[in-house]
Amino acid sequence: MLTKIQNQLSALGNESEAQFAQRFFKTGPGQYGEGDHFRGIRVPVLRQLAREYKSASLEDAIALLQSHWHEDRLLALFLWIGIFKREAKQREAIYNLYLANTACINNWDLVDSSAPYIVGAWLWDKERAQLYELARSQDLWERRIAMLATFHFIQKRDFEDALRLAEILRDDRHDLMHKAVGWMLREIGKRDIQHLENFLNKHYQQMPRTMLRYAIEKLPELTRQSYL
């Protein structure tokens, strides 16, 4: 099946889409996606392929995840998410494989499309120390995995870990972490404005501007302006 998937991915490539994606995902020298390669396949097509090949094995997904093609890696994550949802006995294995292959989950779309649905979903009813190890990683994408995993908890109105991680990552050096933290804070505020305002009242003067703007985006205009 792996060869069939790879051949179909190759056939679906589009050079102009690939060039656009390489600019959009900042693949130039010194940029966060430096050296990544794109086939030029849109996300809805990849989601359809994940449904078409839902019987692919974990090993097939690992091979795709270790591809130098960005779309192959995203498809691998979609396949894992599908298996994770359908097959409870496979969930721990998928979680462990995910953490063993974070070097391949190396752009924001790969993280955002998978961390809540694998890492967050697995840790929902478990001890969550792994998130704090990831949050202190030197690797940008592992830190983003930690923060985005909490989206699963936030959706269930469990805000504690998201707020603790937001404190740890408040002074992160990378703009992509400022956006991730601000986004999760905004999601908390959509469900419980008091938790968001408690955090803001303690930290808003030290928060990077991008993080603050993301966090307060849905607040009333006068409240937003007071924090700005």
Side-chain angles (χ1 to χ4, degrees):
M1 182 176 290
L2 176 61
T3 300
K4 184 177 180 181
I5 296 172
Q6 290 171 327
N7 288 340
Q8 190 162 357
L9 286 166
S10 180
L12 288 168
N14 180 292
E15 183 60 32
S16 62
E17 292 282 354
Q19 291 178 5
F20 172 81
Q22 288 187 206
R23 294 191 299 272
F24 183 76
F25 287 102
K26 309 296 184 185
T27 63
Q31 296 182 310
Y32 61 74
E34 180 176 358
D36 206 352
H37 299 272
F38 286 79
R39 293 184 185 273
I41 306 172
R42 296 196 174 201
V43 172
V45 176
L46 296 172
R47 291 191 184 277
Q48 177 58 40
L49 287 177
R51 291 189 289 270
E52 181 178 341
Y53 293 108
K54 65 181 182 180
S55 60
S57 67
L58 296 186
E59 291 72 23
D60 290 336
I62 292 169
L64 291 169
L65 189 65
Q66 294 174 348
S67 168
H68 76 291
W69 293 108
H70 186 100
E71 291 91 343
D72 295 26
R73 301 198 300 279
L74 185 54
L75 175 58
L77 294 168
F78 289 157
L79 289 170
W80 273 355
I81 291 167
I83 298 169
F84 189 98
K85 290 178 178 178
R86 293 190 303 271
E87 301 182 29
K89 291 181 179 179
Q90 298 272 41
R91 289 173 185 168
E92 184 173 10
I94 292 170
Y95 170 77
N96 288 329
L97 285 169
Y98 189 97
L99 293 183
N101 288 276
T102 56
C104 303
I105 306 167
N106 58 351
N107 214 313
W108 59 264
D109 64 319
L110 302 176
V111 172
D112 299 2
S113 297
S114 61
Y117 312 107
I118 295 177
V119 179
W122 175 252
L123 294 177
W124 165 243
D125 57 355
K126 298 174 184 66
E127 199 275 331
R128 301 172 184 176
Q130 183 65 57
L131 294 182
Y132 296 85
E133 292 184 29
L134 292 168
R136 293 183 171 91
S137 171
Q138 292 301 304
D139 182 78
L140 163 65
W141 307 117
E142 290 192 345
R143 300 197 303 276
R144 189 165 174 117
I145 287 169
M147 196 69 234
L148 264 293
T150 68
F151 193 21
H152 185 86
F153 313 152
I154 292 168
Q155 289 174 312
K156 296 178 179 290
R157 300 185 66 82
D158 177 352
F159 309 133
E160 180 179 355
D161 289 290
L163 292 168
R164 289 176 63 193
L165 288 169
E167 282 194 299
I168 292 169
L169 295 165
R170 187 197 70 188
D171 300 324
D172 196 279
R173 62 188 179 277
H174 205 289
D175 181 69
L176 284 174
M177 285 309 304
H178 303 168
K179 294 175 180 178
V181 173
W183 174 18
M184 292 301 100
L185 290 171
R186 183 177 72 223
E187 291 297 330
I188 291 172
K190 286 163 64 175
R191 293 160 176 83
D192 189 320
I193 195 169
Q194 193 59 56
H195 273 83
L196 172 59
E197 291 192 344
N198 288 345
F199 184 92
L200 292 173
N201 291 339
K202 184 177 179 181
H203 295 286
Y204 80 95
Q205 290 181 314
Q206 291 79 38
M207 290 167 68
R209 198 71 165 178
T210 297
M211 186 186 297
L212 178 61
R213 286 188 177 278
Y214 268 60
I216 65 176
E217 184 178 0
K218 299 298 183 181
L219 295 180
E221 179 63 21
L222 289 177
T223 307
R224 288 181 64 254
Q225 291 303 321
S226 70
Y227 283 119
L228 291 171

